[in-house]
Amino acid sequence: MNILSVSKLQKEFNGEVLFKNISFEINSKDKTAIIGKNGSGKSTLLKMILGDLRIDSGEIHKNSKAVIGYLSQDVISNKQNDLITEMNDVFSNLIDLEDKIKDLTIKLEEDPHNEKLINKYASLENIYLINGGYEYHYKINLILSKFGFDKEEYTRSIDTFSGGERTRIAFAKLLLIAPDLLILDEPTNHLDISIIEWLEDYLNKYEGAVLIVTHDKYFITKVCRKIIEIDHKTSNIYYGSFENYLDEKVKRYELLLKNYTRQQKEIAHLQSFVDRFRYNAKRASIAQDRVKKINRIVKLEKPTNSSRLVKMAFENKRATRDVILEAKNLSIGYDFPILNDINFSMCGYDKLAIIGPNGTGKTTLLKVIEKKLLPLAGKIDFLREYKIGYFDQNQENLSYNKTVFEEIHDYYPMYTHKDVRSVAARFLFTNDDVLKSISILSGGEKVRLVLLLLMLSNPDLLILDEPTNHLDIETKDIIEDVFNEFTGPILFVSHDRYFINKIGTKIVHLSEDSMIEFDGSYDEFKESINVKIARKKNKKAIAPKKMNNDKEIKKLEKQIHSIEDKIAQLESESYLEDVFTDYKKINAINLSIKELKEELLIIDKRYYELLNL
């Protein structure tokens, strides 16, 4: 089913074209990512699709039968509602059915042989069953728990939750609504890695279509099989994974450049003939034919490669194998400990990633390492004094009242005018760019300036705090390349799994009550965790436990067959005339069927758990 069609869409602001000729389709079950630089119009495009912004030209067609859901706090109907009431709002039709069934039950008690009431009761109960009346409570509990909400919070008013928590509440409700097209704008922002990984699995199995604006390359790789890139004010569509997109983009650029070069040679050859014989009486007519041929050629635009390379060069560091940093029995926190018994070491060649859920002390640990905060217990030993280069996600060290030129020159007053422009150009600040005020720089430009100053400081050890937050894919690519080339040690906190995987050579995973030290990339770390889980399951399945499990599985199979037989028997009885015309009998049978199905759900869950052990 076609859900959404966008054709030749154009948007302008103050006479300036933001994008034009945007065309694509979204069909049922499509998992599509919209990518592009910050400011290219991704969120604007979503607003136009949702009807929140006027279309300047082009068309957007939405299937009238399709339900479209967009992640925003507007999904929450009433912030004065408690959490469970807001979730139940999704299933108001089922709750209404429950009330109607209860009303009918009361009426049938007064008039048990009323055939009209009996038939209506049976019909409503069947609709309730088919639409998941016996399952919606389970769905609510599952999704709320995955988004980090305990049952103790169900009665809390939504307006008492933080902004980030309210966004997660809206997200949970949207997944319960299960629209035909789910539109998400940067869905992984402010989510823990564990929630993101669950969400990836959920969206992969999602029956509807998903349209996502995101800079999270790992998320795109896991979920999406179609990518719409807004580049140079228009759209290009790529099919396959993120890696397929990268390969295909290079191939398309090379093909376009080849065709453009061939056409330019053809035009140059024709023009050369014209220039030679334009005033030659014998060949003037032929020359004129060549002019007409040149004019008939549909000129190809020279393809542009959107990725300009940063020409950085950190001074090479000797990658010593010595342990340069060691945490010993460390306890971190403020008035009370966030985490105790932290022990890990770092060698001179390590690029160590500190990862884990929010609130487990990652940034606090960085502050202790930087000596900005004292540990509550234990210590951190350094091999020697290191010159630390700190990359701050908020660029707090920049002087926003200065220009790029002034910022560089004030840090390094010995630099000549030419020196400043030379180093600035290596980080893509050319011509008048160096005269821009830092206050008006884009997020990506500020990051490049911080990287430039970091490189000039010639650090021994780099410490990075969420270095890729809120950056577009192109700027993330720059950061990855810069830090990948740095030969010295790097210690960083990040939620960006693609960045962790590309840069990190060692993992320190913090959780609420423990830590794990692991040598290897993020993917290798995840694999090791999966192996441990599998081994744990295998141990449970060995010897007497396995035999006990086998016995319990056989016992559950008998129970399942027995209950299914009972349900089938009761359902067949419900069609007997002397039953469905007797309210008390049909009500008793329906109640028994309901109870048996609820029991069957519980047994089925346990049965599949044992099969997977």
Side-chain angles (χ1 to χ4, degrees):
M1 175 178 75
N2 179 263
I3 298 174
L4 174 70
S5 294
V6 175
S7 178
K8 298 180 180 178
L9 204 64
Q10 180 166 321
K11 187 63 188 173
E12 298 179 13
F13 287 104
N14 301 320
E16 182 77 21
V17 174
L18 178 63
F19 53 66
K20 59 185 178 180
N21 201 30
I22 302 287
S23 300
F24 61 88
E25 289 188 347
I26 302 294
N27 297 309
S28 54
K29 297 191 177 183
D30 277 355
K31 305 292 188 293
T32 305
I34 299 176
I35 65 172
K37 293 180 184 177
N38 287 334
S40 61
K42 302 182 297 297
S43 294
T44 299
L45 175 59
L46 291 191
K47 288 176 183 176
M48 292 171 76
I49 290 169
L50 294 165
D52 295 336
L53 268 181
R54 181 175 61 85
I55 297 171
D56 292 338
S57 66
E59 293 181 347
I60 295 176
H61 177 263
K62 291 177 273 190
N63 190 321
S64 58
K65 294 180 181 178
V67 177
I68 296 176
Y70 172 65
L71 177 59
S72 75
Q73 289 196 17
D74 292 338
V75 173
I76 298 171
S77 59
N78 188 342
K79 290 183 175 64
Q80 276 68 53
N81 280 342
D82 58 35
L83 179 57
I84 194 63
T85 299
E86 188 65 30
M87 296 302 113
N88 282 336
D89 180 58
V90 176
F91 303 100
S92 57
N93 60 327
L94 289 174
I95 293 170
D96 288 343
L97 270 177
E98 286 175 354
D99 293 337
K100 288 176 182 177
I101 290 169
K102 286 174 185 175
D103 289 342
L104 277 174
T105 303
I106 294 168
K107 290 177 182 178
L108 281 166
E109 285 175 355
E110 297 170 357
D111 187 6
H113 300 295
N114 187 319
E115 188 173 335
K116 187 177 178 181
L117 289 177
I118 292 168
N119 289 337
K120 189 173 181 182
Y121 179 92
S123 174
L124 288 180
E125 202 274 340
N126 188 49
I127 293 169
Y128 183 76
L129 178 67
I130 290 170
N131 286 280
Y134 299 117
E135 299 166 4
Y136 77 89
H137 293 295
Y138 170 75
K139 286 182 180 178
I140 290 172
N141 291 336
L142 172 68
I143 289 179
L144 284 180
S145 68
K146 292 300 182 182
F147 276 98
F149 297 104
D150 297 324
K151 287 192 175 181
E152 290 75 18
E153 297 175 293
Y154 282 14
T155 54
R156 269 182 67 183
S157 175
I158 289 171
D159 58 10
T160 66
F161 288 95
S162 69
E165 288 171 328
R166 285 200 290 269
T167 298
R168 283 190 279 129
I169 290 168
F171 209 155
K173 185 177 179 183
L174 192 58
L175 293 184
L176 289 170
I177 293 169
D180 299 300
L181 173 58
L182 184 60
I183 298 179
L184 307 173
D185 193 351
E186 293 293 353
T188 61
N189 282 1
H190 313 299
L191 294 181
D192 290 340
I193 289 178
S194 58
I195 298 176
I196 294 171
E197 289 177 339
W198 170 82
L199 181 62
E200 287 167 348
D201 185 56
Y202 188 91
L203 293 179
N204 275 317
K205 296 172 184 174
Y206 188 68
E207 288 297 318
V210 183
L211 181 63
I212 307 166
V213 166
T214 183
H215 297 307
D216 189 330
K217 295 186 277 186
Y218 206 96
F219 189 82
I220 295 170
T221 300
K222 290 289 185 180
V223 176
C224 301
R225 288 297 172 267
K226 183 161 77 173
I227 293 174
I228 300 164
E229 182 180 34
I230 301 178
D231 188 26
H232 292 90
K233 300 185 179 183
T234 191
S235 61
N236 296 289
I237 300 174
Y238 300 84
Y239 295 92
S241 67
F242 187 78
E243 297 301 324
N244 296 141
Y245 149 76
L246 293 175
D247 292 340
E248 181 63 22
K249 187 172 182 179
V250 171
K251 289 176 184 176
R252 290 188 191 186
Y253 171 76
E254 290 174 346
L255 181 61
L256 288 171
L257 186 61
K258 184 177 180 181
N259 291 338
Y260 171 80
T261 303
R262 185 188 296 121
Q263 186 182 76
Q264 289 299 303
K265 285 181 179 178
E266 181 185 355
I267 291 171
H269 177 71
L270 292 169
Q271 190 62 49
S272 174
F273 185 91
V274 170
D275 292 342
R276 285 177 60 197
F277 299 109
R278 177 177 296 182
Y279 304 108
N280 185 305
K282 293 182 179 179
R283 299 190 178 180
S285 61
I286 301 174
Q288 191 60 37
D289 287 341
R290 296 291 192 276
V291 171
K292 291 178 182 177
K293 188 172 182 180
I294 291 172
N295 292 336
R296 285 197 301 268
I297 293 173
V298 178
K299 307 296 189 298
L300 298 175
E301 289 186 19
K302 185 176 181 179
T304 52
N305 190 346
S306 60
S307 298
R308 294 187 293 159
L309 293 178
V310 171
K311 299 173 184 176
M312 58 72 62
F314 277 104
E315 185 175 313
N316 284 337
K317 303 293 177 183
R318 187 173 65 87
T320 173
R321 300 190 66 83
D322 294 333
V323 173
I324 63 166
L325 178 157
E326 187 171 12
K328 298 178 180 177
N329 302 318
L330 203 63
S331 177
I332 60 172
Y334 296 89
D335 296 329
F336 57 88
I338 297 173
L339 192 61
N340 296 310
D341 299 322
I342 301 173
N343 293 278
F344 67 89
S345 61
M346 179 179 181
C347 293
Y349 54 82
D350 281 331
K351 292 181 170 63
L352 188 150
I354 301 172
I355 66 173
N358 291 330
T360 52
K362 301 184 296 297
T363 300
T364 305
L365 178 56
L366 277 195
K367 289 180 179 178
V368 172
I369 292 169
E370 291 179 87
K371 301 178 182 177
K372 292 179 179 177
L373 181 69
L374 291 173
L376 299 180
K379 61 178 180 176
I380 293 183
D381 287 336
F382 285 88
L383 179 64
R384 59 177 175 82
E385 282 294 319
Y386 288 93
K387 185 177 183 182
I388 292 176
Y390 182 68
F391 184 94
D392 176 22
Q393 57 175 308
N394 300 313
Q395 292 95 41
E396 290 178 355
N397 293 327
L398 293 178
S399 304
Y400 284 80
N401 60 325
K402 295 179 182 178
T403 65
V404 172
F405 184 94
E406 290 167 344
E407 183 80 342
I408 298 169
H409 193 268
D410 287 353
Y411 269 100
Y412 301 97
M414 74 293 296
Y415 278 18
T416 65
H417 184 96
K418 183 179 179 182
D419 290 336
V420 172
R421 283 192 168 272
S422 176
V423 295
R426 288 161 65 187
F427 279 77
L428 311 183
F429 294 107
T430 56
N431 302 322
D432 290 341
D433 289 341
V434 294
L435 303 178
K436 280 184 181 179
S437 171
I438 293 172
S439 61
I440 66 167
L441 295 181
S442 68
E445 288 172 326
K446 288 173 187 170
V447 167
R448 294 205 311 268
L449 180 55
V450 171
L451 285 174
L452 188 159
L453 296 171
L454 199 59
M455 180 196 77
L456 294 177
S457 71
N458 191 24
D460 300 315
L461 167 66
L462 287 179
I463 294 182
L464 323 173
D465 188 4
E466 295 289 1
T468 61
N469 264 15
H470 311 300
L471 301 180
D472 58 35
I473 287 175
E474 184 173 315
T475 309
K476 285 184 179 184
D477 288 340
I478 290 171
I479 281 189
E480 287 163 6
D481 290 340
V482 167
F483 292 136
N484 214 24
E485 291 296 320
F486 181 67
T487 56
I490 301 177
L491 193 148
F492 65 98
V493 167
S494 179
H495 285 94
D496 186 335
R497 293 162 297 161
Y498 197 95
F499 181 81
I500 298 167
N501 215 30
K502 184 166 183 178
I503 304 300
T505 60
K506 185 170 186 173
I507 305 287
V508 169
H509 180 273
L510 305 183
S511 58
E512 289 183 0
D513 54 3
S514 64
M515 64 145 287
I516 300 171
E517 182 180 13
F518 178 82
D519 284 303
S521 67
Y522 178 77
D523 279 348
E524 290 167 340
F525 169 71
K526 286 298 297 179
E527 181 62 26
S528 73
I529 296 296
N530 292 336
V531 168
K532 284 179 183 177
I533 292 170
R535 284 176 181 168
K536 196 173 181 181
K537 286 181 178 179
N538 287 337
K539 283 181 182 178
K540 286 181 180 178
I542 293 172
K545 279 207 168 184
K546 186 179 186 308
M547 290 173 63
N548 290 338
N549 284 349
D550 288 342
K551 286 179 182 178
E552 190 174 352
I553 287 170
K554 288 178 181 177
K555 181 181 176 183
L556 290 175
E557 284 174 346
K558 287 180 181 178
Q559 289 178 350
I560 289 168
H561 292 316
S562 175
I563 292 171
E564 287 174 340
D565 290 342
K566 286 178 183 177
I567 291 171
Q569 178 64 30
L570 288 169
E571 286 176 341
S572 64
E573 287 178 17
S574 69
Y575 296 113
L576 297 175
E577 187 175 352
D578 66 324
V579 173
F580 69 73
T581 56
D582 186 321
Y583 159 69
K584 287 186 177 179
K585 287 183 180 178
I586 190 66
N587 191 42
I589 284 177
N590 284 334
L591 186 60
S592 297
I593 291 172
K594 176 183 174 183
E595 290 171 349
L596 286 168
K597 285 185 175 179
E598 287 175 349
E599 184 183 352
L600 188 60
L601 279 174
I602 295 168
I603 294 173
D604 272 343
K605 185 181 177 185
R606 176 60 181 157
Y607 177 69
Y608 287 113
E609 281 176 356
L610 288 172
L611 285 179
N612 290 323
L613 286 177

Short mmCIF file of all heavy atoms in Angstrom, two decimals, residues 71 82 126 171 383 458 473 564 611:
data_model
loop_
_atom_site.label_atom_id
_atom_site.label_comp_id
_atom_site.label_asym_id
_atom_site.label_seq_id
_atom_site.Cartn_x
_atom_site.Cartn_y
_atom_site.Cartn_z
N LEU A 71 6.36 11.66 16.27
CA LEU A 71 6.86 11.73 17.65
C LEU A 71 7.06 13.16 18.09
O LEU A 71 7.94 13.87 17.60
CB LEU A 71 8.18 10.96 17.77
CG LEU A 71 8.84 11.04 19.15
CD1 LEU A 71 7.92 10.48 20.23
CD2 LEU A 71 10.18 10.31 19.16
N ASP A 82 -2.36 10.85 34.85
CA ASP A 82 -1.26 10.02 35.33
C ASP A 82 -0.80 9.13 34.18
O ASP A 82 -1.45 9.04 33.13
CB ASP A 82 -1.64 9.22 36.58
CG ASP A 82 -2.83 8.30 36.38
OD1 ASP A 82 -2.97 7.75 35.27
OD2 ASP A 82 -3.63 8.14 37.32
N ASN A 126 -16.73 -10.99 21.20
CA ASN A 126 -15.89 -11.46 20.10
C ASN A 126 -15.05 -10.32 19.53
O ASN A 126 -13.86 -10.48 19.24
CB ASN A 126 -16.78 -12.05 19.00
CG ASN A 126 -15.97 -12.73 17.91
OD1 ASN A 126 -15.08 -13.54 18.20
ND2 ASN A 126 -16.24 -12.41 16.67
N PHE A 171 6.78 8.75 23.21
CA PHE A 171 7.30 7.70 22.33
C PHE A 171 6.59 6.38 22.62
O PHE A 171 6.13 5.67 21.70
CB PHE A 171 8.80 7.55 22.55
CG PHE A 171 9.55 7.06 21.33
CD1 PHE A 171 10.90 7.35 21.18
CD2 PHE A 171 8.93 6.30 20.35
CE1 PHE A 171 11.62 6.91 20.08
CE2 PHE A 171 9.63 5.86 19.24
CZ PHE A 171 10.97 6.16 19.11
N LEU A 383 51.03 7.76 34.83
CA LEU A 383 52.44 7.42 34.65
C LEU A 383 53.30 8.67 34.82
O LEU A 383 54.39 8.61 35.39
CB LEU A 383 52.65 6.81 33.26
CG LEU A 383 54.07 6.41 32.87
CD1 LEU A 383 54.56 5.27 33.79
CD2 LEU A 383 54.14 5.95 31.41
N ASN A 458 48.68 20.64 20.65
CA ASN A 458 49.59 19.49 20.67
C ASN A 458 49.47 18.68 21.98
O ASN A 458 50.44 18.54 22.74
CB ASN A 458 51.04 19.96 20.49
CG ASN A 458 51.99 18.80 20.25
OD1 ASN A 458 51.58 17.73 19.79
ND2 ASN A 458 53.25 18.99 20.59
N ILE A 473 25.90 14.10 9.81
CA ILE A 473 26.74 12.96 9.43
C ILE A 473 28.08 13.42 8.86
O ILE A 473 29.13 12.84 9.16
CB ILE A 473 25.99 12.05 8.43
CG1 ILE A 473 24.90 11.27 9.17
CG2 ILE A 473 26.95 11.09 7.73
CD1 ILE A 473 24.00 10.44 8.29
N GLU A 564 -6.24 -25.99 25.29
CA GLU A 564 -6.75 -25.76 23.93
C GLU A 564 -7.96 -26.63 23.64
O GLU A 564 -8.93 -26.19 23.01
CB GLU A 564 -5.64 -26.01 22.90
CG GLU A 564 -4.57 -24.92 22.88
CD GLU A 564 -3.41 -25.24 21.97
OE1 GLU A 564 -3.21 -26.43 21.65
OE2 GLU A 564 -2.67 -24.31 21.60
N LEU A 611 12.06 -23.16 26.15
CA LEU A 611 12.59 -23.61 24.87
C LEU A 611 13.85 -22.84 24.48
O LEU A 611 14.74 -23.37 23.82
CB LEU A 611 11.54 -23.43 23.77
CG LEU A 611 10.38 -24.43 23.74
CD1 LEU A 611 9.43 -24.09 22.61
CD2 LEU A 611 10.88 -25.87 23.57
#
